[in-house]
Amino acid sequence: MSAATRRLTTAQALVRFLAAQYTGRDGVRHRLITGTWGIFGHGNVAGLGQALVEYADVMPYHQGRSEQAMVHAAVGHARQLNRLRVQAVTTSIGPGATNLVTGAALATVNRLPVLLLPGDYFASHAADPLLQQLEHPVEADVSVNDALRPVSRYFDRVTRPEALVASALKAVRVLTDPAETGAVTLALPQDVQTEAHDWPEEFFADRVWHVRRPAPDPEELAEAVRAVRAAERPLIVAGGGVHHSEAEQALKALVDATGIPVASTQAGKGALRHDHPADLGGIGHTGTAVSDELARTADLVIGVGTRYSDFTTASGTLFQRPDVRFLNLNITAFDAHKLAARTLVCDARTGLTALAEALSGHRVDAVYEAEYRAGKARWDETVRAAFRADDDGAVPTQTQVLGALDTVVGDEDVVINAAGSLPGDLHKLWRARSPRQYHLEYGYSCMGYEIPAALGVQQAAPDTPVWALVGDGTYLMNPTEIVTAVQENLPVKLVLVQNHGYASIGGLSESVGAERFGTDYRHRAADGSFTGAPLPVDLAANAASLGMDVLRAKTVRELREALVAARAATRPTCVYVETAPPSAALPAEAWWDVPVAEVSAREAATNARTAYERSVADRRHHL
């Protein structure tokens, strides 16, 4: 007797397959693919488009306005749900497909899963070249989708219907693998999408993919315990892996028992609640004074779920103690071995629990504990001063905008940001009250991430207030998903901060001798010089034209009132505020390596080079 089969098109079979995939962790099962974002063109409308209509009852569909933004929304969704649930994104061939590349890079850099389903050329070459097809004179099997190969953790072009079975299973394996996950691309030739095939019924059966929690190797664990017991000034660096593993309570238990202080990366902030006595806030170039002071004198740095970007390590100059050593707990050996570290290659929660049990009775010296607690108290006063507004009728600074928001949000609110000057202020100052409150995309630091990511987070947590904090520069990169928020009735809250330029890169430009060139939003005179008058651009009116309710705030008092109203709103709402220059910007607490012109005829550049050479002299390799 032959096995039962079902005759479907390739696209229909893919949708049915995806609807039957689940993740399982800690005895809890979740549907893997929660929905599909799509913008249709000739490359996917007759295949995946028709399949999504056919099976609308089992695969929710979300209409996007920008292909890149759809990926950002899916990434925000996956991060909010601890990588256990994923969204798919489908586009046509051509520009729709190439617009995926930035989002795919962001997903893979941040180790966050997203499934990309771009249309492709005819596998049969019956229509060749078809509309939007890239022709290559010696490689006929190349298409623009090949640009997705280096930014995908798995890539395949499904050139025959029956090839989908193996390809789909491999794709889902990578999506659900905590060590390998990232963007996964299945390029789908247009003719193959619509071809019928007799599929085995087993292909559509419910399938649960177990998300592993590998335990540490006993020998690695024993060596790690010896290293911690021998350390006089240990410091934990908590990364995004703590959140992905839902290891926050395990980290707290270890810290409560041992007294080891915790500094956090942008992805790891919130691993401890801000008022925990051992939480020192951010680390690195955008870190707090207390974190970076301790990092300079630490003799053992314990990285948990971090990939050690140069902001975290301050480009190799932050950890200055000559005998400093590293112990890295990470689910990927690739990240665990960085900085010549001792390794614990395991799940963050499992590893932290094992480490706490093995360290039973061990605690850091009381003098060290008193030192970092005093440093935390001093930094807490710095935060209060930055947030404080003595005149409610004054135009707020950017840090006072954060202070006003801090008074309004609840523990459950989510605050999203990615680029500009806000990430630095947030990393230093934001008081994270829950593991999911602080949502910074800083692996790729992609302008335009915030608004679409807010949509994905809001879909994942429909009853949670979700805030997208956006500067004028990043708003202009990608405001289109405001329309999607209105269409899907997602009550995201947009805080739009207008400071008339690229504030972050402008400051960097000045520091490296580039004299803020190309970073202003001002009128340009006929001779090429800037007149100093800001451009007559009304971003609030733009947001309103896309369907948002807009609240304009000119003073600290009006800002606070507008934020309260926005939090209570049931529609997408924008709070627009023009900020005053900060009276005293918080300086960077650690150096970041941005090379400066070695020779120049301009004084600004030569002075910057002198300062650069002083700083770069402290850079070191950890061996």
Side-chain angles (χ1 to χ4, degrees):
M1 179 182 294
S2 61
T5 61
R6 190 186 312 186
R7 191 161 183 80
L8 301 172
T9 69
T10 303
Q12 291 165 356
L14 177 58
V15 172
R16 291 297 308 188
F17 168 82
L18 293 176
Q21 306 308 299
Y22 295 84
T23 57
R25 188 167 73 177
D26 303 327
V28 180
R29 191 171 91 159
H30 302 283
R31 175 167 168 166
L32 175 61
I33 308 296
T34 64
T36 298
W37 288 91
I39 295 175
F40 294 114
H42 68 93
N44 63 342
V45 66
L48 272 171
Q50 189 281 326
L52 290 167
V53 172
E54 186 102 3
Y55 298 120
D57 58 329
V58 296
M59 181 58 69
Y61 168 73
H62 310 293
Q63 182 179 353
R65 269 73 196 175
S66 156
E67 291 87 0
Q68 181 187 135
M70 293 192 298
V71 186
H72 293 337
V75 167
H77 188 79
R79 174 170 168 169
Q80 181 69 18
L81 297 171
N82 301 317
R83 305 191 301 185
L84 297 173
R85 284 169 275 184
V86 179
Q87 291 179 323
V89 178
T90 181
T91 71
S92 185
I93 186 175
T98 51
N99 283 347
L100 297 173
V101 174
T102 296
L106 182 150
T108 296
V109 165
N110 286 286
R111 316 311 203 247
L112 292 166
V114 60
L115 177 61
L116 308 180
L117 304 172
D120 215 322
Y121 55 59
F122 278 43
S124 65
H125 293 287
D128 190 32
L130 74 155
L131 178 64
Q132 299 179 324
Q133 180 179 344
L134 172 73
E135 292 184 275
H136 194 287
V138 296
E139 294 182 87
D141 61 342
V142 166
S143 82
V144 296
N145 286 326
D146 289 278
L148 288 160
R149 289 180 183 269
V151 293
S152 296
R153 294 292 289 168
Y154 177 77
F155 178 98
D156 194 15
R157 180 175 285 112
V158 183
T159 56
R160 295 179 58 88
E162 58 268 33
L164 178 66
V165 173
S167 184
L169 290 168
K170 291 175 182 177
V172 175
R173 181 195 70 77
V174 174
L175 287 172
T176 57
D177 188 314
E180 293 188 37
T181 196
V184 168
T185 300
L186 295 181
L188 303 171
Q190 296 173 56
D191 51 349
V192 176
Q193 288 183 49
T194 61
E195 289 178 19
H197 181 70
D198 294 323
W199 305 90
E201 282 289 349
E202 303 98 291
F203 187 53
F204 308 115
D206 286 0
R207 187 183 300 266
V208 179
W209 299 80
H210 181 63
V211 180
R212 298 183 299 279
R213 288 196 181 278
D217 176 83
E219 290 189 17
E220 283 194 335
L221 179 61
E223 187 174 341
V225 170
R226 286 193 292 271
V228 175
R229 288 186 179 276
E232 296 178 351
R233 300 178 66 83
L235 174 66
I236 292 173
V237 175
V242 176
H243 294 308
H244 300 328
S245 178
E246 299 175 276
E248 296 90 356
Q249 287 303 312
L251 175 65
K252 182 177 182 298
L254 173 67
V255 171
D256 287 345
T258 63
I260 300 173
V262 177
S264 56
T265 69
Q266 287 279 18
K269 194 173 172 77
L272 285 182
R273 188 180 157 96
H274 76 94
D275 52 5
H276 190 286
D279 179 68
L280 307 183
I283 190 170
H285 180 69
T286 54
T288 68
V290 58
S291 286
D292 287 352
E293 286 167 7
L294 259 66
R296 292 183 180 95
T297 59
D299 57 352
L300 180 67
V301 178
I302 306 168
V304 183
T306 177
R307 64 188 187 91
Y308 286 112
S309 76
D310 68 333
F311 259 58
T312 303
T313 61
S315 299
T317 63
L318 180 59
F319 305 109
Q320 292 182 356
R321 183 162 166 152
D323 61 345
V324 63
R325 292 295 180 265
F326 296 83
L327 167 63
N328 291 337
L329 191 165
N330 204 293
I331 200 163
T332 71
F334 176 82
D335 289 317
H337 280 275
K338 289 176 177 176
L339 300 174
R342 295 181 176 90
T343 60
L344 272 178
V345 181
C346 59
D347 169 74
R349 193 167 85 181
T350 303
L352 287 168
T353 300
L355 196 59
E357 291 173 354
L359 286 168
S360 178
H362 174 75
R363 193 167 183 89
V364 299
D365 186 84
V367 174
Y368 179 54
E369 194 166 357
E371 176 191 340
Y372 74 67
R373 289 193 179 201
K376 175 181 173 63
R378 289 192 299 272
W379 187 257
D380 286 345
E381 181 51 42
T382 299
V383 173
R384 284 190 288 271
F387 282 178
R388 188 165 52 240
D390 296 326
D391 181 1
D392 274 3
V395 175
T397 64
Q398 182 166 282
T399 56
Q400 289 169 349
V401 171
L402 299 182
L405 185 61
D406 177 75
T407 66
V408 171
V409 300
D411 287 8
E412 71 277 15
D413 293 32
V414 179
V415 175
I416 301 172
N417 186 240
S421 57
L422 277 164
D425 287 343
L426 285 161
H427 200 205
K428 288 184 179 75
L429 302 173
W430 189 258
R431 301 189 280 207
R433 306 172 195 182
S434 62
R436 280 284 161 264
Q437 182 171 86
Y438 188 87
H439 183 128
L440 260 284
E441 188 290 296
Y442 216 58
Y444 211 50
S445 187
C446 184
M447 296 176 74
Y449 171 82
E450 295 91 340
I451 296 173
L455 272 59
V457 172
Q458 192 74 82
Q459 289 173 329
D463 298 322
T464 298
V466 178
W467 302 84
L469 274 57
V470 179
D472 47 8
T474 196
Y475 176 85
L476 288 168
M477 289 280 183
N478 207 358
T480 56
E481 297 315 300
I482 288 174
V483 178
T484 303
V486 174
Q487 182 179 35
E488 300 243 347
N489 196 30
L490 296 170
V492 295
K493 295 92 174 61
L494 170 63
V495 180
L496 178 50
V497 180
Q498 171 66 277
N499 57 22
H500 299 289
Y502 297 116
S504 174
I505 203 68
L508 177 63
S509 173
E510 186 172 39
S511 72
V512 298
E515 303 174 48
R516 292 185 177 265
F517 181 75
T519 64
D520 285 301
Y521 293 168
R522 291 181 292 164
H523 282 287
R524 190 184 293 274
D527 64 358
S529 64
F530 287 110
T531 66
L535 296 175
V537 176
D538 191 340
L539 299 183
N542 178 262
S545 76
L546 297 176
M548 268 197 149
D549 292 342
V550 176
L551 305 171
R552 295 176 183 258
K554 295 182 178 180
T555 67
V556 173
R557 183 185 308 107
E558 291 177 0
L559 172 63
R560 197 175 297 117
E561 293 169 351
L563 292 171
V564 170
R567 190 173 189 272
T570 58
R571 291 194 72 256
T573 301
C574 170
V575 175
Y576 174 84
V577 58
E578 187 168 353
T579 55
S583 55
L586 290 172
E589 298 293 338
W591 182 68
W592 178 34
D593 192 343
V594 179
V596 175
E598 192 169 1
V599 295
S600 174
R602 298 184 70 86
E603 183 181 5
T606 57
N607 290 341
R609 181 68 191 189
T610 299
Y612 176 80
E613 290 174 351
R614 283 198 302 268
S615 296
V616 80
D618 292 330
R619 189 169 56 195
R620 62 182 290 193
H621 294 289
H622 295 284
L623 299 171

